[in-house]
Structures are given as structure tokens and as C-alpha cells.
Amino acid sequence: MAANPVVPTPELQINTEKKAEETIVHGSGRITSATSDLLQRTIRGLIPGTKRIVLDMAEVNYVDSSGLGALVSVYLAASRAQCVLELVNLKPRIRDLFELSRLQAVFESHRK
């Protein structure tokens, strides 16, 4: 056991900002198998109270396959509730991942 244990920093931080017509979710860090549950719980908790959720990915620097699955899952949950989920400010590497996985057609991704 280490004398000075390293406390892991959270891989994903999420802040929400409610506005009249939409809720903006600011993500920062990595969306991975370790953090996808946090993302899903946060987004699913917002769906009943809004008709539009904007997921600002400007500070998200990595998404793995579990993260992609989580994003698809919350997109489908939002769609079933007639709520729009929009991803914005994708970094080029993440945008490429969406294109390679053919998910760019599912999500309306826009650059601001």
C-alpha cells in the first residue's frame, strides 16, 4: 500500500445550465466505460423537464465505445420522450469517430 495514495481525478465532469427553451449540459473530460453511467443518469434525469437538451462537448477530449453506446442510449431515450438531444462543439477527433461509426447521421452535430 502506498504511503501517499493518489486520489483519482474524476474522468468526466458535468455541469447543467437550464434556460427557458433548453437545457445545456457542459461535459469536460472523457466519456468511457467508467463515466458513461454518470452521463446517462444526468441526461435521463433532465429529459422529463425539457424538450431540448444541448450536450456541449467542447471540453470532452475522448469517447470510447462505451461512451458511444451511452450517447446512443440517451439519444433514443430523449427521442422516445419527444425531446431533442443535440451534440455541439465536437473536437475533430471525436467528430471523426462519429463519422467512422456512421453515427453522424443520428446526431445533429453542429459547430458553434
Side-chain angles (χ1 to χ4, degrees), residues 33-85:
S33 59
T35 62
S36 61
D37 187 52
L38 170 63
L39 176 74
Q40 288 192 65
R41 280 183 287 134
T42 301
I43 301 284
R44 288 175 187 272
L46 296 171
I47 290 172
T50 188
K51 290 295 179 192
R52 184 166 189 263
I53 298 171
V54 177
L55 180 53
D56 185 352
M57 307 253 305
E59 298 299 320
V60 173
N61 52 35
Y62 181 81
V63 177
D64 71 3
S65 60
S66 295
L68 284 177
L71 289 167
V72 170
S73 178
V74 294
Y75 174 84
L76 292 172
S79 294
R80 283 191 295 271
Q82 298 178 345
C83 175
V84 174
L85 175 64

Side-chain angles (χ1 to χ4, degrees), residues 17 22 24-29 31 52 54-63 86-96 98 107-112:
E17 177 184 351
E22 65 190 12
I24 301 173
V25 178
H26 300 278
S28 175
I31 302 174
R52 184 166 189 263
V54 177
L55 180 53
D56 185 352
M57 307 253 305
E59 298 299 320
V60 173
N61 52 35
Y62 181 81
V63 177
E86 181 181 2
L87 305 182
V88 297
N89 299 323
L90 298 174
K91 292 192 183 289
R93 186 173 183 172
I94 295 173
R95 190 171 36 255
D96 291 346
F98 276 81
F107 295 99
E108 293 183 8
S109 302
H110 303 280
R111 284 186 238 164
K112 282 189 175 180

